């Protein structure tokens, strides 16, 4: 993992070409936001990537996440741990950036919650977040303006 500058955050890549693409796990700092370079998986539910939707760390059949660079918006094939907000719409096995820190506007509304609430994938639906109900939930964002779908990202990386 390295710090990457000059990131084209909305680009998708079909393959990794040394020197021409970021490396998996690279981090880009852009103003008050931080991004991570990952590989997208449509997973068992064939959930397509949508820019502005939340992605979770990929864990087939809900098993423990074995990789911190493979993500999906299929909640049932995740470890229930948010990975970031997709910046583009990659196809299966393509590479892209997810936002992991800073303010973001989601494409899909929260399943529940109000301004200031801690958010988690637990209890949500594919591609979004829900209000945290338990202290054991994996918190990954906070609602800034829930009705406008604006959150403060704090995804683990």
């Amino acid at each position: 993992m390295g710090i990457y500058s000059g990131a084209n955050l909305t680009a998708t890549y079909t393959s990794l070409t040394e020197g021409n693409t970021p490396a998996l796990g690279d981090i880009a700092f852009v103003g008050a936001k931080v991004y991570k370079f990952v590989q997208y998986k449509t997973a068992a539910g064939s959930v397509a990537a949508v820019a502005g939707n939340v992605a979770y760390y990929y864990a087939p059949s809900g098993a423990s996440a074995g990789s911190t660079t493979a993500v999906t918006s299929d909640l049932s094939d995740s470890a229930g741990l948010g990975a970031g907000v997709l910046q583009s719409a990659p196809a299966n096995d393509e590479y892209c950036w997810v936002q992991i820190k800073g303010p973001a506007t989601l494409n899909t509304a929260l399943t529940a919650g109000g301004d200031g609430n801690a958010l988690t994938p637990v209890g949500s639906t594919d591609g979004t977040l829900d209000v945290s109900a338990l202290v054991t939930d994996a918190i990954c964002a906070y609602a800034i303006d829930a009705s406008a779908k604006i959150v403060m990202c704090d995804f683990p990386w």
Side-chain angles (χ1 to χ4, degrees):
M1 172 172 62
I3 296 176
Y4 191 80
S5 63
N8 181 351
L9 299 172
T10 59
T12 60
Y13 304 87
T14 56
S15 64
L16 298 178
T17 307
E18 189 172 327
N20 294 322
T21 60
L24 280 175
D26 275 359
I27 302 296
F29 293 83
V30 181
K33 299 178 181 183
V34 182
Y35 302 85
K36 183 176 180 180
F37 194 69
V38 296
Q39 183 178 35
Y40 188 81
K41 303 282 191 181
T42 57
S46 296
V47 177
V50 175
N53 274 9
V54 174
Y56 320 102
Y57 285 109
Y58 179 64
S61 303
S64 295
S67 169
T68 59
T69 57
V71 303
T72 184
S73 286
D74 183 349
L75 191 56
S76 68
D77 256 359
S78 79
L81 183 60
V85 178
L86 291 162
Q87 299 302 294
S88 59
N92 187 49
D93 289 331
E94 287 189 341
Y95 304 90
C96 65
W97 291 96
V98 292
Q99 182 180 341
I100 57 174
K101 302 288 183 199
T105 301
L106 301 180
N107 181 56
T108 305
L110 303 173
T111 54
D115 298 355
N117 287 157
L119 304 172
T120 179
V122 177
S124 72
T125 57
D126 292 346
T128 194
L129 298 169
D130 194 1
V131 65
S132 175
L134 303 172
V135 296
T136 56
D137 289 345
I139 306 299
C140 59
Y142 298 87
I144 294 174
D145 185 340
S147 63
K149 304 179 279 189
I150 301 172
V151 301
M152 179 61 72
C153 298
D154 194 18
F155 292 90
W157 53 300

